[in-house]
Amino acid sequence: MDDQALADFLGTAIGEYRLITPEAPLPCFALLIGSAEGTTYHVRRIAFGRNARTSDPAARREFREAIVPKFGPAYENEHRGWWMDSHDLLRASREAEALGMDLLGSIHMHPDWHRLGPPSERGHTLSERPTPMDCHLFGRTGWPLNIICYLERRGSAFYHALAAWAPPPQHAVEGAECPEFALRVRTRSLVEV
């Protein structure tokens, strides 16, 4: 992953993090754009889009009929979960194609919700590892690369941890884990070769 793509995501994620309240676990989600070279995915940039979770009828139905019954009432909260606006998804895909790149997958933030959320949510510690909901999402999209950025604040400083994941195998049993990828961040802007 290019360091500038990561910096772009972190800048936005920190801004969203600062707005989180115990009632509103604001998400941060973006698409990964780059190239696939053999078994290596090179993320060159990211593309943000709007969350259509509450405005798209298909998204509302999916959360009401599938997500909430399967993953619990916490997902009734309209701030929890992401559904990329279809217009923004199409725009990002066309921009990637025009640049000779591909849409590789997604990146999203896991905040330290176990510290920020209401007392009822503090028993489940989030990290850069996928939750059952993440594995469901990764399997549904089928994108080959999915990055989770765990973000926390300690005092006035922010810290992050990253991990990259493939979707669960196509014919895996329900609840199968996502395979992990090795993730490397290119430090081009920090070190001149």
Side-chain angles (χ1 to χ4, degrees):
M1 183 174 199
D2 284 359
D3 56 348
Q4 186 58 55
L6 177 57
D8 291 345
F9 180 79
L10 286 172
T12 299
I14 288 170
E16 290 299 309
Y17 181 104
R18 287 184 168 130
L19 300 174
I20 291 174
T21 67
E23 297 77 31
L26 298 177
C28 187
F29 179 93
L31 300 170
L32 302 172
I33 296 175
S35 57
E37 299 154 6
T39 58
T40 300
Y41 300 103
H42 183 166
V43 178
R44 299 179 188 281
R45 57 179 57 196
I46 60 166
F48 290 100
R50 294 167 291 183
N51 188 357
R53 157 98 160 69
T54 59
S55 59
D56 184 295
R60 294 176 72 170
R61 187 172 41 258
E62 173 81 8
F63 272 83
R64 183 179 62 251
E65 296 175 4
I67 302 300
V68 171
K70 188 172 193 172
F71 300 105
Y75 286 95
E76 290 174 344
N77 185 326
E78 67 184 29
H79 299 290
R80 196 164 198 162
W82 190 271
W83 187 288
M84 176 67 82
D85 180 271
S86 59
H87 295 97
D88 295 340
L89 181 60
L90 180 60
R91 175 189 44 79
S93 180
R94 287 180 175 164
E95 287 175 6
E97 187 176 334
L99 294 168
M101 294 186 222
D102 298 306
L103 178 58
L104 301 174
S106 67
I107 182 171
H108 74 277
M109 170 184 65
H110 279 180
D112 53 345
W113 186 238
H114 49 281
R115 292 188 185 122
L116 304 171
S120 62
E121 296 277 338
R122 295 188 184 174
H124 179 67
T125 302
L126 289 175
S127 70
E128 65 279 10
R129 299 195 60 79
T131 64
M133 172 63 177
D134 291 327
C135 289
H136 173 80
L137 170 73
F138 299 163
R140 294 286 299 237
T141 64
W143 288 327
L145 178 62
N146 304 280
I147 298 175
I148 298 174
C149 176
Y150 173 71
L151 186 64
E152 69 180 22
R153 180 169 45 192
R154 293 187 179 195
S156 61
F158 283 92
Y159 298 87
H160 71 279
L162 299 168
W165 308 93
Q170 262 189 346
H171 301 293
V173 296
E174 183 66 30
E177 293 197 13
C178 298
E180 187 172 5
F181 280 115
L183 177 64
R184 306 289 184 264
V185 178
R186 186 185 303 204
T187 54
R188 180 176 23 192
S189 65
L190 303 175
V191 179
E192 293 298 321
V193 179

